[in-house]
Amino acid sequence: MPLDVARLRDSDLASDESPEACWAAVLIWAASWHQVPAASIPDNDNWIAKQAGYAQRGKIAKEWAAVRPGALRGWVLCSDGRYYHPVVAEKARDAWKSKLEQRWKSESARIKKHNQRHGTSIPCLEFDAWIDAGRPQGQQLFVPGDSADLLGDKPKDSGSKRQGERQGQGQRKRKGAKAPSSADELPTWMQSLVALYHEVLPELPGVRVMDKERDQALRDFWDWVLTTKRPDGTARATNPDEALAWVRDYFTRARNNDFIMGRGTRSPDHPNWRCSIEYLLSSRGMKKVIEETQEPA
């Protein structure tokens, strides 16, 4: 736990309480740092006294009664039955944000390195957008010339290095699905659209097989984005870049839909149903996503 020495030195705790109470307070802060939620402690006097060094073998020392008020200075009992300290909570929040920012920077660097290595243009999310998307990390990235992204037997493997290792390996054709001989045969916009689906919705089934039906569904969806208008009469997209931006927003809206993400209770007739890219490309799926959000799409 980071200790703000100047803040502690100039605090009311240091000036008004005894040295014993101050030391007990610091020990309790340190203990709360490793609790879940962080910066909280249970409403249990024996536990608190033990963390402060005033309980042994289940017995609370008599000195604890005099030290306790100062040691618990600033702690607030909240509705979940736990005490929280606003200053420790502030430090925990800042530490968590710093940790997330480091993860985001690592993920952004991975994507940039992948783009440089393979000549792709997979977009990097801004920090806030990355948070809203569920903090995706290590998702499979598209490699031109490697159909393993669409036909691979290892959908869980991710990272540019493993994808590079798969280049040139034999392709396994699935019965009943006519796949392209190379991912290069897919239009650039289709590669980008599928990459967006994997990036924004990594929990949903991945696109590993490209047959005629799926290819046509993607083309119909793309044409719809480029040729239709919003309720206010403005075009959804006038060029591929605007279309991909609209698709990202569409997939983000889908991510916020409890039904699509399986956060609600399924009907008895379809208890194991999972949303797939086909559903999101269909008219029914688009109505579900677009009409259940307040902002026009």
Side-chain angles (χ1 to χ4, degrees):
M1 183 190 80
L3 185 62
D4 192 333
V5 176
R7 189 172 183 177
L8 175 59
R9 180 197 62 200
D10 299 333
S11 67
D12 292 339
L13 173 68
S15 62
D16 298 345
E17 304 296 342
S18 67
E20 292 79 11
C22 291
W23 177 239
V26 173
L27 291 176
I28 295 171
W29 296 347
S32 74
W33 188 259
H34 299 284
Q35 289 290 293
V36 179
S40 73
I41 56 176
D43 184 13
N44 183 317
D45 201 49
N46 189 72
W47 185 94
I48 297 172
K50 183 177 181 181
Q51 305 308 313
Y54 284 86
Q56 291 183 350
R57 298 180 181 179
K59 293 183 179 181
I60 299 177
K62 60 181 181 180
E63 294 83 2
W64 175 241
V67 172
R68 187 180 189 280
L72 292 181
R73 185 171 185 143
W75 289 92
V76 179
L77 184 61
C78 296
S79 58
D80 63 351
R82 295 180 68 86
Y83 284 96
Y84 289 81
H85 196 290
V87 177
V88 182
E90 174 190 323
K91 298 296 183 183
R93 180 200 62 198
D94 293 344
W96 177 240
K97 183 180 180 182
S98 178
K99 189 173 184 177
L100 290 179
E101 287 177 342
Q102 182 57 48
R103 291 179 181 177
W104 167 69
K105 289 177 182 177
S106 297
E107 178 64 11
S108 297
R110 184 180 77 92
I111 295 174
K112 289 178 181 178
K113 184 176 181 180
H114 178 92
N115 287 337
Q116 292 173 354
R117 177 180 296 171
H118 300 291
T120 53
S121 56
I122 299 173
C124 294
L125 292 175
E126 295 295 330
F127 179 70
D128 290 339
W130 180 75
I131 292 293
D132 293 339
R135 309 192 298 271
Q137 288 181 275
Q139 73 276 16
Q140 190 173 1
L141 301 177
F142 184 79
V143 178
D146 182 7
S147 61
D149 285 296
L150 298 176
L151 304 173
D153 291 324
K154 298 181 179 180
K156 296 296 182 181
D157 287 350
S158 60
S160 302
K161 182 177 180 180
R162 289 185 180 180
Q163 290 170 337
E165 291 172 351
R166 291 199 303 269
Q167 294 189 53
Q169 293 181 2
Q171 302 169 7
R172 178 175 297 178
K173 294 186 178 180
R174 307 292 180 87
K175 184 177 181 180
K178 183 179 180 181
S181 59
S182 169
D184 285 334
E185 294 183 7
L186 299 179
T188 301
W189 65 262
M190 189 179 292
Q191 298 176 21
S192 299
L193 193 156
V194 171
L196 277 176
Y197 169 78
H198 287 149
E199 175 189 327
V200 180
L201 299 165
E203 300 90 345
L204 299 186
V207 177
R208 300 190 298 276
V209 174
M210 185 62 69
D211 56 17
K212 290 183 178 180
E213 290 77 12
R214 179 170 280 173
D215 180 277
Q216 189 60 51
L218 286 164
R219 293 178 187 277
D220 290 344
F221 179 80
W222 185 251
D223 289 342
W224 183 87
V225 174
L226 285 168
T227 59
T228 59
K229 296 182 178 181
R230 298 183 177 91
D232 61 5
T234 60
R236 289 188 165 88
T238 60
N239 57 60
D241 288 340
E242 291 181 1
L244 287 174
W246 188 93
V247 170
R248 175 182 290 281
D249 177 73
Y250 175 72
F251 286 154
T252 301
R253 290 168 185 255
R255 183 175 187 82
N256 294 329
N257 188 292
D258 290 341
F259 171 79
I260 287 175
M261 300 306 295
R263 292 188 287 262
T265 303
R266 297 295 188 208
S267 66
D269 295 334
H270 305 282
N272 299 318
W273 181 83
R274 292 185 67 195
C275 178
S276 64
I277 194 171
E278 276 77 18
Y279 180 80
L280 294 176
L281 300 177
S282 69
S283 175
R284 184 176 181 182
M286 286 190 285
K287 290 177 182 177
K288 184 73 176 177
V289 174
I290 295 174
E291 294 182 356
E292 291 191 7
T293 52
Q294 294 182 350
E295 295 296 326

